[in-house]
Structures are given as structure tokens and as C-alpha cells.
């Protein structure tokens, strides 16, 4: 039996699927990842991207943060790919209970997924650090320099920067979903970013499938590993 047929059989049998994904899910839509050879962290900048995308840098060098953020973190013209669409289809069929994502691009929602747990927030939500008013992503994208609220406060993306904590309620929902899942699909993530990657330990089922181009620390625990582009793989799955 080939890998795709094994995956199809796993999905056919499952009743409570949870998907846990990272940057690799969106690369087929044209969003660059972070840690691959050509990824964002391999590029040369005045400051390392890990430094720019930190809470301290945002607070101390806000203009430099936004110069990078607007150019390299906002991809507003991209569309959901076959992976996003298939996951939404699985949810609509009542088979998938949650998408847990480290991505901030909103493509899962654009594809139609409803129960999306965004561990690292979303570029589509932005709030004033003074009055708390929310602003959409176009407000940030179209601003000159640092986006300022009408009250004069600095607008901050509702994304988790280095040095910031993950959202507690979102984590609790993720743990609950993983604990009740009978099939966990992991895709497009190196499982190297903590604490997000540590959530995998809460999976209570017996079928763990890894859809990832590169080796991960969880490969030995997986019941199935497929090293093909995730959109190409999930695009061939039938929902029934």
C-alpha cells in the first residue's frame, strides 16, 4: 500500500481529526517560510530577523520593525492552496475538529475553515497600544512609517513576537482539541518552535501523520511520514 492510500485510509477511519501546521502550509501559496535554505532567516538584513521580530525591538526601534514587517510579513494578495481548501472541506464534512496553526496569514479562514486556533496571532488584527482600538491590515499596510491610531497611539500587530507569551485561551483550546483527537495531521512545520511544538505531547490518539519536506524531532513517533508538498498530497485526498 502506498503512502497516499495509507493516508486516505487513516482519514476515512478518523472521526476527530486535528491539523497542526506551520509555515510550509502556505509556501505553495507564495508565502515564504522562515527556516529553509531560502527562507526569511537565511536572508541578510541590517538586523537579524529574529531580533526584528521581537517585543523589545518593536518597542525600541518601531520604525525599523515596520519597515521590515510591511515588506516581509504582509502577503495580502496570496490565495489559499489545495491544503487550506482540503482542510476546510474536512471540517465542513464533520471530520476535522480544529486547525492549530503557527501561521499569521489568515489563509485557513480564507479557505473556509471556521475553528482555527492561531497560536501566533494574525496580521489581519491590529490594535492601538494606547486606546485598544482595532485596525485592519490595510490600515497598517497603507500607513506611512509607523501606523498611528486616531488617538496618536502606536498600532501593533496582534501577532506573538519573540519575548511575548502565547494567548492562554487559544492554548487551552488547542490542548483540548489535541486531547480528544483520534488522528493528528502535522504539516509544514519543523516542530522546532516552542512552546507551540510542545503542544504535540497532548495528542491522545494513536495515528500521527507527518506531512513535511524535512526531518522533524517527531518522525520516529509518527505512524506515517510523507515528504511531499502538503498541498499536492492533501489535494489528492477524497472527503467521504
Amino acid at each position: 500500500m502506498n503512502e497516499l492510500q495509507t493516508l486516505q485510509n487513516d482519514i476515512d477511519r478518523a472521526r476527530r481529526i486535528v491539523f497542526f501546521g506551520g509555515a510550509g502550509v502556505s509556501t505553495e501559496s507564495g508565502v515564504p517560510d522562515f527556516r529553509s535554505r531560502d527562507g526569511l532567516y537565511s536572508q541578510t538584513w541590517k538586523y537579524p530577523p529574529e531580533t526584528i521580530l521581537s517585543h523589545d525591538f518593536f518597542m525600541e526601534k518601531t520604525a525599523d520593525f515596520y519597515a521590515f514587517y510591511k515588506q516581509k510579513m504582509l502577503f495580502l494578495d496570496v490565495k489559499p492552496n489545495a491544503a487550506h481548501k482540503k482542510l476546510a472541506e474536512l471540517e465542513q464534512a464533520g471530520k476535522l475538529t480544529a486547525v492549530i496553526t503557527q501561521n499569521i496569514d489568515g489563509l485557513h479562514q480564507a479557505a473556509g475553515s471556521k475553528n482555527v486556533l492561531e497560536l501566533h496571532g494574525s496580521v489581519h488584527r491590529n490594535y492601538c497600544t494606547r486606546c485598544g482600538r482595532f485596525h485592519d491590515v490595510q490600515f497598517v499596510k497603507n500607513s506611512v512609517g509607523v501606523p498611528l491610531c486616531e488617538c496618536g497611539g502606536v498600532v501593533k500587530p496582534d501577532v506573538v513576537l519573540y519575548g511575548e507569551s502565547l494567548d492562554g485561551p487559544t492554548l487551552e483550546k488547542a490542548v483540548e482539541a489535541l486531547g480528544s483527537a483520534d488522528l493528528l495531521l502535522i504539516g509544514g512545520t519543523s516542530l522546532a518552535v516552542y512552546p507551540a511544538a510542545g503542544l504535540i505531547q497532548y495528542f491522545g490518539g494513536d495515528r500521527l501523520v507527518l506531512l513535511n519536506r524535512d526531518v522533524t524531532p517527531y518522525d520516529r513517533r509518527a505512524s506515517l511520514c510523507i515528504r511531499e508538498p502538503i498541498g499536492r498530497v492533501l489535494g489528492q485526498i477524497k472527503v467521504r
Side-chain angles (χ1 to χ4, degrees):
M1 185 181 299
N2 63 32
E3 293 176 335
L4 185 64
Q5 187 58 55
T6 301
L7 175 59
Q8 181 71 65
N9 291 345
D10 284 344
I11 290 174
D12 287 344
R13 290 194 299 265
R15 295 186 177 183
R16 296 180 306 281
I17 303 171
V18 167
F19 178 80
F20 183 98
V25 179
S26 293
T27 53
E28 289 170 82
S29 292
V31 180
D33 65 5
F34 290 83
R35 290 175 171 78
S36 69
R37 183 174 59 186
D38 300 319
L40 191 62
Y41 289 174
S42 299
Q43 301 175 22
T44 302
W45 298 89
K46 181 180 179 181
Y47 305 95
E50 301 98 318
T51 299
I52 298 172
L53 297 174
S54 69
H55 175 80
D56 288 346
F57 192 92
F58 175 83
M59 298 300 292
E60 296 168 8
K61 298 181 182 294
T62 311
D64 288 330
F65 169 90
Y66 267 115
F68 176 89
Y69 180 83
K70 291 179 186 180
Q71 181 182 353
K72 291 297 180 180
M73 303 300 291
L74 298 182
F75 297 90
L76 306 184
D77 296 327
V78 299
K79 304 296 182 184
N81 61 52
H84 299 106
K85 294 175 182 177
K86 188 64 64 173
L87 292 168
E89 189 179 347
L90 285 166
E91 182 188 53
Q92 290 159 9
K95 295 184 71 69
L96 185 142
T97 59
V99 169
I100 303 171
T101 181
Q102 300 172 83
N103 295 342
I104 59 176
D105 52 40
L107 288 176
H108 285 293
Q109 291 94 328
S113 290
K114 303 299 183 185
N115 190 27
V116 182
L117 303 176
E118 296 172 310
L119 296 177
H120 296 154
S122 172
V123 299
H124 295 279
R125 298 188 302 270
N126 306 272
Y127 65 91
C128 174
T129 55
R130 178 182 296 176
C131 73
R133 178 179 177 181
F134 271 78
H135 300 269
D136 64 19
V137 68
Q138 291 295 341
F139 178 88
V140 171
K141 181 77 172 179
N142 297 332
S143 64
V144 177
V146 176
L148 299 177
C149 180
E150 292 177 358
C151 75
V154 173
V155 174
K156 180 185 181 297
D158 189 16
V159 300
V160 178
L161 302 175
Y162 289 105
E164 297 179 343
S165 300
L166 302 188
D167 179 67
T170 302
L171 280 175
E172 291 175 8
K173 292 176 182 176
V175 168
E176 181 180 353
L178 287 164
S180 62
D182 57 8
L183 171 62
L184 175 58
L185 303 177
I186 300 178
T189 173
S190 63
L191 294 174
V193 178
Y194 284 81
L199 288 171
I200 307 305
Q201 65 182 307
Y202 295 102
F203 172 52
D206 58 356
R207 296 295 292 174
L208 171 60
V209 175
L210 277 166
L211 310 170
N212 202 58
R213 183 180 61 185
D214 302 317
V215 174
T216 80
Y218 280 83
D219 283 15
R220 291 184 178 181
R221 293 180 52 181
S223 53
L224 176 65
C225 291
I226 301 179
R227 305 212 184 283
E228 298 289 336
I230 186 171
R232 184 187 305 167
V233 173
L234 289 184
Q236 299 178 69
I237 292 297
K238 295 178 173 60
V239 179
R240 49 202 179 201

